[in-house]
Structures are given as C-alpha cells and as structure tokens.
Amino acid sequence: MYNHFTMKALFVGGTGTISTAITRKLADRGWELWLLNRGNRHSILPAGVNEITCDINNEEEAAEKIKALSFDVVADFIIMTPQQAERDYRLFKGKTKQYIFISSASAYQKPPSSYRITEGTPHSNPFWEYSRNKIACEEFFYHKYREEGFPITVVLPSHTYDERSVPLGIHGKNGSWQTLKRMLEGKQVIVHGDGTSLWTTTHSSDFAEAFIGLMGNAHALGEMVQITSDEVLTWNQIYGTVASILGVPLKPVHISSEFLHAAGPYDFQGGLIGDKANCAVFDNAKLKSLVPGFTAIIRFDQGARKTIEYMLSHKECQKEDPEFDAWCDRIIDVREKALAELKR
C-alpha cells in the first residue's frame, strides 16, 4: 500500500457528481492531485489542486501536456466509448502504477437473473447503448491487463448523487427539480411501475471514501469492484421520502415503464427499462475486503435532506422544464381518461 500523503494522482474530469467529492477529500488529505479537463468548473476546486486545461479528446495536445509527468493513480471519470478507452491506454501506458476506469452498474445483466448483484453477475444490457459501451471499455482494459499487465482497476457505481440533484426515476432533460416543483405545487407525480421494485442510491461522499480506499491499493489491481450503499429502498419509499422532506403529501401516479417509453418523446428504454425499472440490490463484500472498515454511512433520508436544502437555496439548481411538466400532465390525463372509459 502506498503512503496516501505522498501519492500523486491525475483525474480526467474531476468536477462531476462522483469525482467532485473525491477531489475535495484528497485535497484535504494532502495528496498531490492533478485535474485534466476543460476548466469549465474552476471555481469549485479546492486550494492546492493542480490544473491541466485541455480537452483530452485532443490526444496530441493532452500527450504534450502530460509528457513530463507520471502518477501513482490515474482515474478517468468521463470515458463513454471504447475509442476513448483506447486513447487513454495510449496516453497513460507506462505513466501510472494504477489506472481506474469508472464503468457503471447498469452494465450488469438486464433483466437480472437474481435480484442480488455481485461482481460475478454477468455484464449484458441489450436495452442501453451507454451500458454496452461501458462493457466494451471493460473488455478492452482487461485484454491489456492480461496481455501486457496494464494496471487496471474497474469501479462500478450505481445511482450516485450529490447536493445538486435528487435521485429520482423519472425526469426530463433538466434533472429532478421539475418533479420537486410538481410536489410543491400539489401536483401528481409519475412513479414508474408499481413503485415496489428495489433500488439503491449512494451519496457521493460515501462513494468517495470507498474510492480513495481503492486508490494505490495493490490488491485492487486487475479487480472489478462495485461501490454502493447497503441501504435498499423501493421507489415508493424514495419518492415518499422526498415529499416528506418537502413537507407535502405525495400524490403518486403509477404507470408502467414500457408505456412511458412507448408514449415518447422521451427515450426511457436505456435509463429506465435498461436500468431503474429493475431491482438493484448490491453485495459489497468484495469492496469491504479491499477497503477494511468501509461502510456507507449516509442514509437516503439524510442525504436527500441535504440535497433538497441545497437546491432550495441555490437558484442555479432550480432548472425548470416546462416541456417535461406538460408531458407529465398529458400522460396522467390519458391514464385518467382511459380509466374513466373502462368504468363506463
């Protein structure tokens, strides 16, 4: 195990939902941390973080800017395609002792053959191209690990959230605020399915603790590790908790995921049918063996309260989405008319 106080890490990205919490914790703990990104969120960076302003998709420029640098750990938080994985392999081969690829728990088998998910669960998602691309990236990196010893660790997050957005099942292009606004206005809100499927949310602060425990961890090389909370809730409980924090009654309307996708114009095949409509209960035994003492400590009601308080006090988090709002009204109206017709 490396000395965490002298380790040197590079994050590609570093200012997103997952990575911001890790960046803050590493800065507090004295790591030498470098971020390579386009510099769009410079204002949120803690003191002492080194910046490399560059679009990594410009491989030639990125190679030039890191040519004199080497690292104990490199983690890329923004890889979406196998082509980008190949680019990172070219950029960081021989320049890091550990490379962490952030995949996605949505890569796991859909529909699942068992509700309880481990790292041994097959990776196959015919519903979502995003997930299939993540699987292709995993396969590329493991090929390089087996053939050349490329020091890969694959991390699989599930539904991770921070102070800027509440994790909900159904939302439009501007995130969860419009659903919260509907609740505050006393409107009905759509909950997919019957709301009883099991789901796991993880606060970014908990994720960061586990992730840091894997950084520089020799036992994590070549391994695939999922990082989630152990708390499991139904979607009815999730929506009910959010409404309770807002101090309003929940008025849920349950509609099947297949109907929501078929109704258009939103594409819910991937993120809903290929992900959130399925049960997701994670066994984190492997993570806890690699990071002794780790446990996620932020319950959903605690994390959601902090998030909602932050959103209510920060106008930039209140991104209205009138198109999604009108769509919800229309879907609910169609359902009510269909029920009325059936009762005739």
Side-chain angles (χ1 to χ4, degrees):
M1 185 87 65
Y2 304 120
N3 183 339
H4 283 184
F5 293 99
T6 60
M7 286 185 66
K8 182 178 179 180
L10 171 71
F11 287 172
V12 181
T15 59
T17 297
I18 290 176
S19 56
T20 296
I22 307 170
T23 294
R24 290 170 179 165
K25 287 179 182 287
L26 289 181
D28 287 343
R29 298 176 190 185
W31 284 57
E32 181 182 345
L33 181 60
W34 294 71
L35 300 188
L36 190 157
N37 56 43
R38 291 176 290 182
N40 293 336
R41 301 191 68 207
H42 170 83
S43 61
I44 73 167
L45 296 181
V49 174
N50 304 284
E51 293 184 83
I52 303 172
T53 303
C54 173
D55 183 349
I56 196 169
N57 292 307
N58 185 335
E59 185 175 344
E60 185 176 339
E61 180 187 11
E64 178 64 24
K65 291 200 171 186
I66 65 170
K67 70 177 183 179
L69 299 172
S70 60
F71 305 94
D72 293 297
V73 182
V74 170
D76 192 330
F77 293 88
I78 57 176
I79 283 186
M80 299 294 173
T81 68
Q83 292 75 24
Q84 293 170 337
E86 293 169 12
R87 175 207 63 210
D88 269 24
Y89 166 75
R90 292 190 295 267
L91 284 171
F92 299 116
K93 178 185 178 183
K95 298 184 75 65
T96 184
K97 299 172 184 175
Q98 181 186 31
Y99 177 94
I100 302 179
F101 168 59
I102 292 79
S103 185
S104 168
S106 69
Y108 286 125
Q109 181 185 58
K110 301 293 183 303
S113 57
S114 171
Y115 80 98
R116 195 162 187 85
I117 299 169
T118 74
E119 287 82 359
T121 299
H123 287 208
S124 174
N125 190 334
F127 303 101
W128 204 359
E129 184 181 13
Y130 164 80
S131 305
R132 294 193 296 274
N133 279 334
K134 288 288 192 178
I135 294 168
C137 291
E138 295 169 1
E139 291 173 346
F140 170 79
F141 283 125
Y142 276 116
H143 173 75
K144 293 302 181 183
Y145 170 73
R146 291 188 295 268
E147 297 297 318
E148 304 174 16
F150 185 70
I152 183 67
T153 297
V154 173
V155 166
L156 298 102
S158 183
H159 201 161
T160 307
Y161 67 102
D162 63 6
E163 71 276 10
R164 291 169 287 180
S165 183
V166 178
L168 296 175
I170 300 290
H171 58 76
K173 61 184 178 182
N174 289 338
S176 60
W177 171 252
Q178 194 65 47
T179 299
L180 270 63
K181 188 170 185 286
R182 289 182 67 88
M183 291 183 185
L184 290 168
E185 292 174 347
K187 288 185 172 183
Q188 295 174 302
V189 296
I190 297 173
V191 180
H192 62 274
D194 63 3
T196 62
S197 60
L198 302 174
W199 194 247
T200 301
T201 66
T202 309
H203 194 276
S204 61
S205 180
D206 281 335
F207 183 93
E209 285 294 333
F211 191 91
I212 291 170
L214 295 174
M215 293 178 67
N217 186 333
H219 302 292
L221 295 179
E223 296 290 349
M224 178 176 291
V225 189
Q226 58 193 25
I227 299 178
T228 79
S229 170
D230 294 319
E231 181 184 29
V232 180
L233 299 169
T234 67
W235 282 105
N236 286 333
Q237 289 174 315
I238 290 171
Y239 277 80
T241 298
V242 172
S244 178
I245 293 168
L246 291 171
V248 298
L250 177 65
K251 298 179 179 179
V253 177
H254 294 98
I255 300 177
S256 79
S257 302
E258 290 79 6
F259 183 88
L260 292 172
H261 172 63
Y266 298 101
D267 181 4
F268 288 126
Q269 176 154 322
L272 191 55
I273 297 172
D275 194 27
K276 297 178 184 67
N278 300 272
C279 286
V281 181
F282 297 92
D283 183 338
N284 288 299
K286 184 174 184 178
L287 170 64
K288 292 175 182 179
S289 71
L290 290 169
V291 187
F294 170 76
T295 187
I297 61 173
I298 300 177
R299 295 196 316 262
F300 177 71
D301 62 304
Q302 298 169 331
R305 183 173 297 278
K306 291 180 180 179
T307 296
I308 289 170
E309 289 173 351
Y310 185 92
M311 293 178 72
L312 291 174
S313 62
H314 288 75
K315 288 291 185 183
E316 69 273 16
C317 295
Q318 300 172 20
K319 297 179 180 178
E320 297 198 16
D321 192 340
E323 180 182 341
F324 176 72
D325 195 49
W327 178 83
C328 289
D329 289 336
R330 188 166 62 252
I331 293 292
I332 292 169
D333 184 58
V334 167
R335 176 184 180 275
E336 295 304 316
K337 287 179 178 177
L339 288 175
E341 181 66 26
L342 288 170
K343 291 177 180 178
R344 287 184 182 180

